[in-house]
Amino acid sequence: FNQNIPVLGTSPVSIDRAENRHKFSGMLDNLGINQPRWKELTTIDDIYEFVRNENKDYLKSNFLPTDFEDNRIDFVIIADNSGNSLYSQAYDYENKKPAAVSPDIKDFLNNNPQLVFAGFAYADKMSGIFNVNDKYVIYSSNKIIKRNNSGPARGSLIMGRYLDENN
């Protein structure tokens, strides 16, 4: 952080303290402030267990605005094997805040499970491009299974990005 470059606004150290989950959590612990239980999405096994338990607080606390920005994705959907959405979140880049996934996207995915729901019997991973209301979307869908391929599939993790003149 010490690059001898003047920074206007919030210091890089303060930004890191707020953005780094471990540092921020440690700071809250030191101050005696209660916080929701959280855990990093570090492995597919973590996703598998939390989807199995349907811990919505975990899912919400692990898809932060910075995750969308850093990975340049517009939406995330986690669905069970029946196609029910356990979690869905989009990101509004213009206003820099979370948003709802478009109902048109959800309808398309529900009406075309063979294209995107890897948690079904079709494939472990799928990707491609589809068109909804004259908007092209590139997507990737991964079956939620344990890293060692044991246990039943729990559903699909789907991430997508709109393709336009800026992408």
Side-chain angles (χ1 to χ4, degrees), residues 63 68 73-79 85-92 97-110 117 130 132-133 135 137 158-162:
F63 291 103
F68 285 86
I73 54 175
D74 289 307
F75 65 86
V76 171
I77 298 173
I78 296 177
S85 178
L86 301 176
Y87 175 83
S88 66
Q89 186 69 62
Y91 187 71
D92 179 346
K97 65 179 188 176
V101 174
S102 160
D104 295 330
I105 295 288
K106 287 184 174 183
D107 288 345
F108 179 86
L109 298 177
N110 285 330
F117 287 112
F130 60 85
V132 174
N133 294 336
K135 293 181 181 179
V137 178
I158 305 159
M159 295 185 180
R161 181 174 167 193
Y162 291 103

Side-chain angles (χ1 to χ4, degrees), residues 25-33:
S25 178
M27 182 179 67
L28 293 177
D29 288 343
N30 289 338
L31 294 171
I33 298 172

Side-chain angles (χ1 to χ4, degrees), residues 47-86:
I47 296 170
Y48 184 90
E49 286 305 314
F50 277 94
V51 170
R52 185 176 65 86
N53 296 326
E54 294 188 42
N55 182 338
K56 305 245 180 186
D57 290 334
Y58 171 79
L59 294 171
K60 289 177 184 175
S61 68
N62 284 284
F63 291 103
L64 304 175
T66 52
D67 297 327
F68 285 86
E69 291 173 1
D70 292 347
N71 294 294
R72 299 192 62 193
I73 54 175
D74 289 307
F75 65 86
V76 171
I77 298 173
I78 296 177
D80 66 16
N81 286 329
S82 297
N84 300 312
S85 178
L86 301 176

Side-chain angles (χ1 to χ4, degrees), residues 13-38:
V13 171
S14 294
I15 292 170
D16 182 57
R17 190 179 307 126
E19 293 286 331
N20 183 305
R21 292 183 203 155
H22 293 283
K23 290 178 184 178
F24 189 76
S25 178
M27 182 179 67
L28 293 177
D29 288 343
N30 289 338
L31 294 171
I33 298 172
N34 290 333
Q35 58 186 303
R37 193 183 89 201
W38 66 274

